Amino acid sequence: MTRKLLSGDEAVARGAWEAGCRVAAAYPGTPSTEILEAISTYKDIYSEWSTNEKVALEVALGASISGARALAAMKHVGLNVAADPFFSAAYIGALGGFVIVTADDPGLHSSQNEQDNRFYGLMARVPVLCPSNSQECRDYTMRAFAISEEFDLPVLIRLTTRVAHSSGIVEVGERTEVPLKPYEKKVTKNAILPAFAKVRHVDLEKRIDRVAALSLQDEFNRIEPGSVDLGIISDGVCYHYAREVYPDASFLKLGMVWPFPGETVRRFAATVKELLVVEEVDPFIELQVRALGLKVTGKDRLPRTNEMSQRALRLSMGLPAEKAEPETGVTARPPALCPGCPHTGIYFALQNQKAFIGGDIGCYTLGVMPPHSGMDTCVDMGASITVAHGTDKALGATDQRPHVAIIGDSTFFHSGVTGLINTVYNKSNVITIISDNRTTGMTGHQNHPGTGQTLMGSFGTIIKPEEIAKACGVKTVVVVDPYKVKETRKVVRELLAKKEPAVIVNRRACALHIRLHNPPFKVDPEKCDGCKTCIRLGCPALSFDNGKAHITATTCVGCGMCADVCPEGAISASPKSNVQSPKSSAGSPS
């Protein structure tokens, strides 16, 4: 055995490689993104960024049906997108081991909700493993492939943010090559027609019953004797929090939370005077303990929201806890788009337009904040176009506002395309703005169909949103450069005034992705009249002091958008800069 320092995500990837996984697919999403990024370093595994989570799960399912070990990874809301095939996959089962990893985000560090995906296993009748550290991430992943093949079931591994992103020492081994299982056409198993599915459902219940016996073994669900006064049942990272707060208590550490190990819980409860369940977000374990008829303390005292921690546990249980002191010397500021962010230009163009603007998931969601106030809604991936369509149909001619959708390029490929087709088919007047920054920005610059580069590094066809829009039947399709702020504003406002369906592709590469570090622009105080037009860009490099605009040189990346909008010509490039203002020479969109 060799020892490595690995994050939970990296340990899942290592476990998949050692277990002989051949195919892995995902759509990036915090906190699961690093699983596929790590898997892509193992060249024995075919890996890909799929266009969305449903596609990723179906890719892995197809590989499993073909006899190969396969893995699909996604953040918690991604499993909502993949829920349709996920439930069917339980009926079909697995020829090659089939593992699905969901990374939940308690505390909503980068998500729109904090759902608890352990319930997905219960609903779909799929075993759920909850590792608590990096070593278990590696071990459980390897074991999950074996369980999947032994019981003809997909297996769900549920991580949370702290398990996915924290690092620990992991004992690792070498890869075991697992031969492809011979493919055999079995339509009664793999084609979920009603007549076949009825039979498969009965069989699914039998398969999951057999796994239930496995959950009673110490391999996953382990009793750790301690004081008889208090017995704690916990899973995931919460086990470690509870261990630190109650070092002398007895513990039942759950690694397989479903099928629920009821007999083990009863046996443990009989050894202690009081039961406490410590878990994050929802009372998944607690509900099942109560269903056994056992008296237990849980969410009646512990929080149902936000991340669990030692401090949160102490406060909830009435124990002394250190006071959390805010850091000093750090200037508070609201979240904002980055300096040089190309989304800035399009939001500037939308300001004061009295439009209904359906928003979407990505960096540009920050456009909901002042000074942009550029979104009315944010629901889920792809909902910008469909929500705007719903508004258009509900209000129609009674609403004089333009109905606009703004969506990023990766999100457009993820689930915006179907919404756009729907608006064309159902004759909406929605104006769709695809803010194409040439990458998947918020999750760390992953490639997508619009870049043409795959996760494994090969280059292929670049799929252009404007060509998709035209193929969908949109007649007015315009590409603009958001660094040409005035020009972009002119195009956007002309189209908004027409109240006709149109697509605007707002294209300029993410300033962080291409590492835009041009010399900073500067303000001539003699020319600045304090009109604050540049301030409306919301650029973090811009401020207003003593009645004049000011550019912080250490923050400015030299994009020149401020110079383009300044009506007095008071902002210009540094004399040392070889970058000219986009007012005169931004050039064509990249």
Side-chain angles (χ1 to χ4, degrees), residues 24-103:
Y27 181 81
T30 304
S32 68
T33 306
E34 293 83 357
I35 295 173
L36 259 286
E37 289 180 337
I39 282 181
S40 69
T41 65
Y42 299 109
K43 301 308 178 187
D44 301 297
I45 303 176
Y46 166 79
S47 59
E48 69 170 40
W49 291 127
S50 302
T51 48
N52 65 35
E53 295 86 352
K54 176 178 181 288
V55 173
L57 194 143
E58 290 166 345
V59 168
L61 174 60
S64 170
I65 289 172
S66 300
R69 289 191 166 186
L71 179 146
M74 58 204 70
K75 68 180 296 176
H76 62 298
V77 289
L79 193 51
N80 300 337
V81 179
D84 197 359
F86 178 69
F87 280 75
S88 297
Y91 280 44
I92 291 170
L95 179 59
F98 182 19
V99 175
I100 301 146
V101 186
T102 171

Coordinates of all heavy atoms in Angstrom, one line a residue, residues 24-103:
A24 N -16.4 7.1 -17.3 CA -16.9 8.1 -16.3 C -17.4 9.3 -17.0 O -16.7 9.8 -18.0 CB -15.7 8.4 -15.3
A25 N -18.5 9.8 -16.5 CA -19.1 11.0 -17.2 C -19.7 11.9 -16.1 O -20.1 11.4 -15.0 CB -20.2 10.6 -18.2
A26 N -19.7 13.2 -16.4 CA -20.3 14.2 -15.4 C -20.6 15.5 -16.1 O -20.1 15.7 -17.2 CB -19.2 14.4 -14.3
Y27 N -21.3 16.3 -15.4 CA -21.4 17.7 -15.8 C -20.9 18.5 -14.5 O -21.2 18.1 -13.4 CB -22.9 18.2 -16.0 CG -23.0 19.6 -16.4 CD1 -22.7 20.0 -17.7 CD2 -23.3 20.6 -15.4 CE1 -22.7 21.4 -18.0 CE2 -23.3 21.9 -15.8 CZ -23.1 22.3 -17.1 OH -23.1 23.6 -17.4
P28 N -20.0 19.5 -14.7 CA -19.3 20.1 -13.6 C -20.3 20.8 -12.7 O -21.3 21.4 -13.1 CB -18.3 21.1 -14.2 CG -18.8 21.3 -15.6 CD -19.5 20.0 -16.0
G29 N -20.1 20.7 -11.4 CA -20.9 21.4 -10.4 C -20.3 21.2 -9.0 O -20.0 20.1 -8.6
T30 N -20.1 22.3 -8.3 CA -19.5 22.3 -7.0 C -20.5 21.7 -6.0 O -21.7 22.0 -6.0 CB -19.3 23.8 -6.5 OG1 -18.4 24.4 -7.5 CG2 -18.6 23.8 -5.2
P31 N -20.0 20.7 -5.2 CA -18.6 20.3 -4.9 C -18.2 19.0 -5.6 O -17.3 18.4 -5.0 CB -18.7 20.2 -3.4 CG -20.1 19.6 -3.1 CD -21.0 20.2 -4.1
S32 N -18.8 18.7 -6.7 CA -18.4 17.4 -7.3 C -17.4 17.5 -8.5 O -16.9 16.5 -8.9 CB -19.7 16.7 -7.8 OG -20.2 17.4 -8.9
T33 N -17.1 18.7 -8.9 CA -16.4 18.9 -10.2 C -15.0 18.1 -10.2 O -14.7 17.6 -11.2 CB -16.1 20.4 -10.4 OG1 -17.3 21.1 -10.3 CG2 -15.4 20.7 -11.7
E34 N -14.3 18.1 -9.1 CA -13.0 17.6 -9.1 C -12.9 16.1 -9.2 O -11.9 15.5 -9.5 CB -12.3 18.0 -7.8 CG -12.0 19.5 -7.6 CD -13.2 20.3 -7.1 OE1 -14.3 19.7 -6.9 OE2 -13.1 21.5 -6.9
I35 N -14.1 15.4 -9.1 CA -14.1 14.0 -9.3 C -13.6 13.6 -10.7 O -12.7 12.8 -11.0 CB -15.4 13.3 -9.0 CG1 -15.8 13.5 -7.5 CG2 -15.5 11.9 -9.4 CD1 -17.2 13.1 -7.1
L36 N -14.3 14.2 -11.7 CA -14.0 13.9 -13.1 C -12.7 14.6 -13.5 O -11.9 14.0 -14.3 CB -15.1 14.4 -14.0 CG -16.0 13.3 -14.5 CD1 -15.4 12.4 -15.6 CD2 -16.5 12.4 -13.4
E37 N -12.3 15.7 -12.9 CA -11.0 16.3 -13.2 C -9.9 15.4 -12.8 O -8.9 15.2 -13.5 CB -10.9 17.7 -12.6 CG -11.8 18.8 -13.2 CD -11.6 20.1 -12.6 OE1 -11.3 20.2 -11.4 OE2 -12.0 21.1 -13.2
A38 N -10.1 14.7 -11.7 CA -9.1 13.7 -11.2 C -9.1 12.5 -12.0 O -8.1 11.9 -12.4 CB -9.3 13.4 -9.7
I39 N -10.3 12.0 -12.4 CA -10.4 10.8 -13.2 C -9.8 11.0 -14.5 O -9.2 10.0 -15.1 CB -11.9 10.4 -13.3 CG1 -12.4 9.7 -12.0 CG2 -12.1 9.5 -14.5 CD1 -13.8 9.2 -12.1
S40 N -9.8 12.2 -15.1 CA -9.3 12.4 -16.4 C -7.8 12.2 -16.4 O -7.2 12.1 -17.5 CB -9.6 13.8 -16.9 OG -8.9 14.8 -16.1
T41 N -7.1 12.2 -15.2 CA -5.7 12.0 -15.2 C -5.3 10.5 -15.3 O -4.2 10.1 -15.4 CB -5.1 12.5 -13.9 OG1 -5.6 11.8 -12.8 CG2 -5.4 14.0 -13.7
Y42 N -6.4 9.6 -15.1 CA -6.2 8.2 -15.2 C -6.6 7.8 -16.7 O -7.8 7.7 -17.0 CB -7.0 7.4 -14.2 CG -6.7 7.8 -12.8 CD1 -7.6 8.5 -12.0 CD2 -5.5 7.3 -12.2 CE1 -7.3 8.8 -10.7 CE2 -5.2 7.6 -10.9 CZ -6.1 8.4 -10.1 OH -5.8 8.7 -8.8
K43 N -5.6 7.5 -17.5 CA -5.9 7.3 -18.9 C -6.5 5.9 -19.2 O -6.9 5.7 -20.3 CB -4.6 7.5 -19.7 CG -3.9 8.9 -19.6 CD -5.0 10.0 -19.9 CE -4.4 11.4 -19.7 NZ -5.4 12.4 -19.8
D44 N -6.6 5.1 -18.2 CA -7.3 3.8 -18.4 C -8.8 4.0 -18.4 O -9.5 3.1 -18.8 CB -7.0 2.8 -17.2 CG -5.5 2.6 -17.1 OD1 -4.9 2.0 -18.1 OD2 -4.9 3.0 -16.1
I45 N -9.3 5.2 -18.0 CA -10.7 5.4 -17.9 C -11.1 6.4 -19.0 O -10.5 7.5 -19.1 CB -11.1 6.0 -16.6 CG1 -10.7 5.0 -15.4 CG2 -12.6 6.2 -16.5 CD1 -11.0 5.6 -14.0
Y46 N -12.1 6.1 -19.9 CA -12.6 7.1 -20.8 C -13.4 8.1 -19.9 O -14.3 7.6 -19.2 CB -13.5 6.5 -21.8 CG -14.3 7.5 -22.5 CD1 -13.8 8.3 -23.5 CD2 -15.6 7.8 -22.2 CE1 -14.5 9.3 -24.1 CE2 -16.4 8.8 -22.8 CZ -15.8 9.6 -23.8 OH -16.5 10.6 -24.4
S47 N -13.1 9.4 -20.0 CA -13.9 10.3 -19.2 C -14.4 11.5 -20.1 O -13.7 11.8 -21.1 CB -13.0 10.9 -18.1 OG -11.8 11.5 -18.6
E48 N -15.5 12.1 -19.7 CA -16.1 13.1 -20.5 C -16.9 14.1 -19.6 O -17.5 13.7 -18.6 CB -17.0 12.6 -21.6 CG -18.3 12.0 -21.1 CD -19.2 11.6 -22.2 OE1 -18.8 11.2 -23.3 OE2 -20.5 11.8 -22.0
W49 N -16.9 15.4 -20.1 CA -17.9 16.3 -19.6 C -19.1 16.1 -20.5 O -19.0 16.4 -21.7 CB -17.4 17.8 -19.7 CG -16.3 18.2 -18.8 CD1 -15.1 18.7 -19.1 CD2 -16.3 18.0 -17.3 NE1 -14.4 19.0 -18.0 CE2 -15.1 18.5 -16.9 CE3 -17.2 17.5 -16.4 CZ2 -14.8 18.6 -15.5 CZ3 -16.9 17.5 -15.1 CH2 -15.7 18.1 -14.6
S50 N -20.1 15.6 -20.0 CA -21.4 15.5 -20.8 C -22.1 16.8 -20.8 O -21.8 17.7 -20.0 CB -22.2 14.4 -20.1 OG -21.6 13.1 -20.1
T51 N -23.1 16.9 -21.7 CA -23.8 18.2 -21.8 C -24.7 18.5 -20.6 O -25.0 19.6 -20.3 CB -24.6 18.2 -23.1 OG1 -25.4 17.0 -23.2 CG2 -23.8 18.4 -24.3
N52 N -25.1 17.5 -19.9 CA -25.8 17.7 -18.6 C -25.8 16.3 -17.8 O -25.3 15.3 -18.3 CB -27.2 18.2 -18.8 CG -28.2 17.2 -19.5 OD1 -28.1 16.0 -19.3 ND2 -29.1 17.8 -20.3
E53 N -26.4 16.4 -16.6 CA -26.3 15.2 -15.7 C -27.1 14.0 -16.2 O -26.7 12.9 -16.0 CB -26.7 15.7 -14.3 CG -25.8 16.7 -13.6 CD -26.2 18.1 -14.0 OE1 -27.0 18.3 -14.9 OE2 -25.6 19.0 -13.4
K54 N -28.2 14.3 -16.8 CA -29.0 13.2 -17.3 C -28.2 12.5 -18.4 O -28.2 11.2 -18.4 CB -30.3 13.8 -17.9 CG -31.2 12.7 -18.6 CD -32.5 13.4 -19.1 CE -33.4 12.4 -19.8 NZ -32.9 11.9 -21.1
V55 N -27.6 13.2 -19.3 CA -26.8 12.6 -20.3 C -25.6 11.8 -19.7 O -25.3 10.7 -20.1 CB -26.2 13.7 -21.3 CG1 -25.2 13.1 -22.2 CG2 -27.3 14.4 -22.0
A56 N -25.0 12.4 -18.7 CA -23.9 11.7 -18.0 C -24.3 10.4 -17.4 O -23.6 9.3 -17.6 CB -23.3 12.6 -16.9
L57 N -25.4 10.4 -16.7 CA -25.9 9.2 -16.1 C -26.3 8.1 -17.2 O -26.0 6.9 -17.0 CB -27.1 9.4 -15.2 CG -27.5 8.3 -14.2 CD1 -28.0 8.9 -12.9 CD2 -28.6 7.4 -14.8
E58 N -26.9 8.6 -18.3 CA -27.2 7.6 -19.3 C -26.0 7.1 -20.0 O -26.0 5.9 -20.4 CB -28.2 8.3 -20.3 CG -29.5 8.6 -19.7 CD -30.4 9.6 -20.5 OE1 -29.8 10.2 -21.4 OE2 -31.6 9.7 -20.3
V59 N -25.0 7.9 -20.2 CA -23.7 7.4 -20.7 C -23.1 6.3 -19.9 O -22.7 5.2 -20.4 CB -22.7 8.6 -20.9 CG1 -21.3 8.0 -21.2 CG2 -23.1 9.5 -22.0
A60 N -23.1 6.5 -18.6 CA -22.6 5.5 -17.6 C -23.5 4.3 -17.6 O -23.0 3.1 -17.6 CB -22.4 6.1 -16.2
L61 N -24.8 4.5 -17.7 CA -25.7 3.4 -17.7 C -25.5 2.5 -19.0 O -25.4 1.3 -18.9 CB -27.1 3.9 -17.7 CG -28.2 2.8 -17.8 CD1 -28.2 1.8 -16.7 CD2 -29.6 3.5 -17.8
G62 N -25.3 3.2 -20.1 CA -25.0 2.4 -21.3 C -23.7 1.6 -21.2 O -23.7 0.5 -21.7
A63 N -22.7 2.2 -20.6 CA -21.5 1.5 -20.4 C -21.7 0.3 -19.5 O -21.1 -0.8 -19.8 CB -20.4 2.4 -19.9
S64 N -22.4 0.4 -18.5 CA -22.7 -0.7 -17.6 C -23.5 -1.8 -18.3 O -23.2 -3.0 -18.1 CB -23.5 -0.2 -16.4 OG -24.0 -1.2 -15.6
I65 N -24.5 -1.4 -19.0 CA -25.3 -2.4 -19.8 C -24.4 -3.2 -20.7 O -24.6 -4.4 -21.0 CB -26.4 -1.7 -20.5 CG1 -27.5 -1.2 -19.5 CG2 -27.1 -2.6 -21.6 CD1 -28.6 -0.4 -20.2
S66 N -23.4 -2.5 -21.2 CA -22.4 -3.1 -22.1 C -21.4 -4.0 -21.5 O -20.5 -4.6 -22.1 CB -21.7 -2.1 -23.0 OG -22.6 -1.3 -23.7
G67 N -21.4 -4.0 -20.1 CA -20.5 -4.9 -19.4 C -19.3 -4.2 -18.8 O -18.4 -4.9 -18.2
A68 N -19.2 -2.9 -18.9 CA -18.0 -2.2 -18.3 C -18.4 -1.5 -17.0 O -19.5 -1.1 -16.8 CB -17.6 -1.1 -19.3
R69 N -17.4 -1.4 -16.1 CA -17.7 -0.7 -14.9 C -17.7 0.8 -15.2 O -16.8 1.3 -16.0 CB -16.6 -1.0 -13.8 CG -16.7 -2.4 -13.3 CD -15.8 -2.6 -12.0 NE -16.2 -3.8 -11.3 CZ -15.7 -4.2 -10.2 NH1 -14.8 -3.5 -9.6 NH2 -16.2 -5.3 -9.6
A70 N -18.7 1.5 -14.7 CA -18.9 2.9 -15.1 C -19.3 3.8 -13.9 O -19.9 3.3 -12.9 CB -19.9 3.0 -16.2
L71 N -19.0 5.1 -14.0 CA -19.3 6.0 -12.9 C -19.9 7.3 -13.5 O -19.4 7.8 -14.5 CB -18.1 6.3 -12.1 CG -18.2 7.3 -10.9 CD1 -17.2 6.9 -9.8 CD2 -17.8 8.7 -11.4
A72 N -20.9 7.8 -12.8 CA -21.4 9.2 -13.2 C -21.4 10.0 -11.9 O -21.7 9.5 -10.8 CB -22.8 9.1 -13.7
A73 N -20.9 11.3 -12.1 CA -20.8 12.2 -10.9 C -21.5 13.5 -11.2 O -21.6 14.0 -12.3 CB -19.3 12.5 -10.6
M74 N -22.1 14.1 -10.1 CA -22.8 15.3 -10.2 C -23.0 15.9 -8.9 O -22.9 15.2 -7.8 CB -24.2 15.0 -10.9 CG -25.0 14.0 -10.2 SD -26.3 13.2 -11.2 CE -25.2 12.2 -12.3
K75 N -23.4 17.2 -8.8 CA -23.7 17.8 -7.6 C -25.2 17.4 -7.3 O -25.9 16.9 -8.1 CB -23.5 19.3 -7.6 CG -24.5 20.1 -8.5 CD -24.2 21.6 -8.5 CE -24.4 22.2 -7.1 NZ -24.1 23.6 -7.0
H76 N -25.6 17.8 -6.1 CA -26.9 17.3 -5.6 C -28.1 17.7 -6.6 O -28.9 16.9 -6.9 CB -27.2 17.8 -4.2 CG -27.3 19.3 -4.1 ND1 -26.3 20.1 -4.3 CD2 -28.4 20.1 -3.7 CE1 -26.7 21.4 -4.1 NE2 -27.9 21.4 -3.7
V77 N -28.1 19.0 -7.0 CA -29.2 19.3 -7.9 C -29.1 18.7 -9.3 O -30.1 18.6 -10.0 CB -29.3 20.9 -8.1 CG1 -29.8 21.5 -6.8 CG2 -28.0 21.5 -8.5
G78 N -27.9 18.2 -9.6 CA -27.7 17.5 -10.9 C -28.5 16.2 -10.9 O -28.9 15.8 -11.9
L79 N -28.6 15.6 -9.7 CA -29.4 14.4 -9.7 C -30.9 14.6 -9.9 O -31.6 13.7 -10.4 CB -29.2 13.6 -8.3 CG -29.7 12.2 -8.2 CD1 -29.1 11.3 -9.4 CD2 -29.3 11.6 -6.9
N80 N -31.3 15.8 -9.7 CA -32.7 16.2 -10.1 C -32.8 16.1 -11.6 O -33.8 15.6 -12.2 CB -33.1 17.6 -9.7 CG -33.0 17.8 -8.2 OD1 -33.1 16.8 -7.4 ND2 -32.9 19.0 -7.7
V81 N -31.8 16.6 -12.3 CA -31.8 16.6 -13.8 C -31.7 15.1 -14.3 O -32.3 14.7 -15.2 CB -30.6 17.4 -14.4 CG1 -30.6 17.3 -15.9 CG2 -30.7 18.8 -13.9
A82 N -31.0 14.3 -13.5 CA -30.8 12.9 -13.9 C -31.8 11.9 -13.3 O -31.6 10.7 -13.5 CB -29.3 12.5 -13.6
A83 N -32.7 12.5 -12.6 CA -33.6 11.6 -11.8 C -34.4 10.6 -12.7 O -34.7 9.5 -12.3 CB -34.6 12.4 -11.0
D84 N -34.7 11.1 -13.9 CA -35.5 10.2 -14.8 C -34.8 8.9 -15.1 O -35.3 7.8 -14.8 CB -35.9 11.0 -16.1 CG -37.0 10.3 -16.9 OD1 -37.5 9.3 -16.4 OD2 -37.4 10.9 -17.9
P85 N -33.6 8.9 -15.7 CA -32.9 7.6 -15.9 C -32.5 7.0 -14.6 O -32.3 5.8 -14.5 CB -31.7 8.0 -16.8 CG -31.5 9.5 -16.5 CD -32.8 10.1 -16.2
F86 N -32.2 7.8 -13.5 CA -31.8 7.2 -12.3 C -32.8 6.2 -11.7 O -32.4 5.1 -11.3 CB -31.6 8.3 -11.2 CG -31.2 7.8 -9.9 CD1 -29.9 7.3 -9.6 CD2 -32.0 7.9 -8.8 CE1 -29.5 6.8 -8.4 CE2 -31.6 7.5 -7.5 CZ -30.4 7.0 -7.3
F87 N -34.1 6.5 -11.8 CA -35.1 5.6 -11.3 C -35.2 4.4 -12.2 O -35.4 3.3 -11.7 CB -36.5 6.3 -11.2 CG -36.6 7.2 -9.9 CD1 -35.9 8.4 -9.8 CD2 -37.4 6.8 -8.9 CE1 -36.0 9.2 -8.7 CE2 -37.5 7.5 -7.7 CZ -36.8 8.8 -7.6
S88 N -35.1 4.6 -13.5 CA -35.2 3.5 -14.4 C -34.0 2.6 -14.3 O -34.1 1.3 -14.4 CB -35.3 4.0 -15.9 OG -36.5 4.7 -16.0
A89 N -32.8 3.2 -14.0 CA -31.6 2.4 -13.8 C -31.7 1.4 -12.7 O -31.1 0.3 -12.7 CB -30.4 3.3 -13.6
A90 N -32.5 1.7 -11.6 CA -32.7 0.8 -10.5 C -33.4 -0.5 -11.0 O -33.1 -1.6 -10.6 CB -33.4 1.5 -9.4
Y91 N -34.4 -0.3 -11.9 CA -35.1 -1.4 -12.4 C -34.2 -2.3 -13.3 O -34.2 -3.5 -13.2 CB -36.3 -0.9 -13.3 CG -37.5 -0.5 -12.5 CD1 -37.4 0.3 -11.3 CD2 -38.8 -0.9 -12.9 CE1 -38.5 0.7 -10.6 CE2 -39.9 -0.5 -12.2 CZ -39.8 0.3 -11.1 OH -40.9 0.7 -10.4
I92 N -33.4 -1.6 -14.1 CA -32.5 -2.3 -15.1 C -31.4 -3.0 -14.4 O -31.1 -4.2 -14.7 CB -32.0 -1.3 -16.1 CG1 -33.1 -0.8 -17.0 CG2 -30.8 -1.9 -16.9 CD1 -32.7 0.4 -17.9
G93 N -30.8 -2.4 -13.4 CA -29.7 -3.0 -12.7 C -28.4 -2.7 -13.4 O -28.2 -1.7 -14.1
A94 N -27.4 -3.5 -13.1 CA -26.1 -3.3 -13.6 C -25.4 -4.6 -14.1 O -25.4 -5.5 -13.3 CB -25.2 -2.6 -12.6
L95 N -24.9 -4.6 -15.3 CA -24.1 -5.7 -15.7 C -22.6 -5.4 -15.3 O -22.0 -6.1 -14.4 CB -24.2 -5.9 -17.2 CG -23.3 -7.0 -17.8 CD1 -23.7 -8.4 -17.2 CD2 -23.5 -7.1 -19.3
G96 N -22.1 -4.4 -15.8 CA -20.8 -3.8 -15.3 C -21.1 -2.9 -14.1 O -22.2 -2.3 -14.1
G97 N -20.3 -2.9 -13.1 CA -20.6 -2.1 -11.9 C -20.9 -0.7 -12.2 O -20.3 -0.1 -13.0
F98 N -22.0 -0.2 -11.6 CA -22.5 1.2 -12.0 C -22.6 2.0 -10.7 O -23.4 1.7 -9.8 CB -23.9 1.0 -12.6 CG -24.5 2.3 -13.1 CD1 -23.8 3.4 -13.3 CD2 -25.9 2.3 -13.4 CE1 -24.4 4.6 -13.7 CE2 -26.5 3.5 -13.8 CZ -25.7 4.6 -14.0
V99 N -21.8 3.0 -10.6 CA -21.7 3.9 -9.4 C -22.1 5.3 -9.8 O -21.6 5.9 -10.8 CB -20.3 3.9 -8.8 CG1 -20.2 4.8 -7.6 CG2 -20.0 2.5 -8.3
I100 N -23.0 5.9 -9.0 CA -23.4 7.3 -9.2 C -23.0 8.1 -7.9 O -23.3 7.7 -6.8 CB -24.9 7.4 -9.4 CG1 -25.4 6.6 -10.6 CG2 -25.4 8.9 -9.5 CD1 -26.7 5.9 -10.5
V101 N -22.2 9.1 -8.1 CA -21.8 9.9 -7.0 C -22.6 11.3 -7.0 O -22.6 12.0 -8.0 CB -20.3 10.2 -7.1 CG1 -19.8 11.0 -5.8 CG2 -19.5 9.0 -7.3
T102 N -23.2 11.6 -5.9 CA -23.9 12.8 -5.7 C -23.2 13.6 -4.6 O -22.9 13.1 -3.5 CB -25.4 12.7 -5.4 OG1 -25.9 14.0 -5.0 CG2 -25.6 11.7 -4.2
A103 N -22.8 14.9 -4.8 CA -22.2 15.7 -3.8 C -23.1 16.8 -3.4 O -23.4 17.7 -4.1 CB -20.9 16.3 -4.4

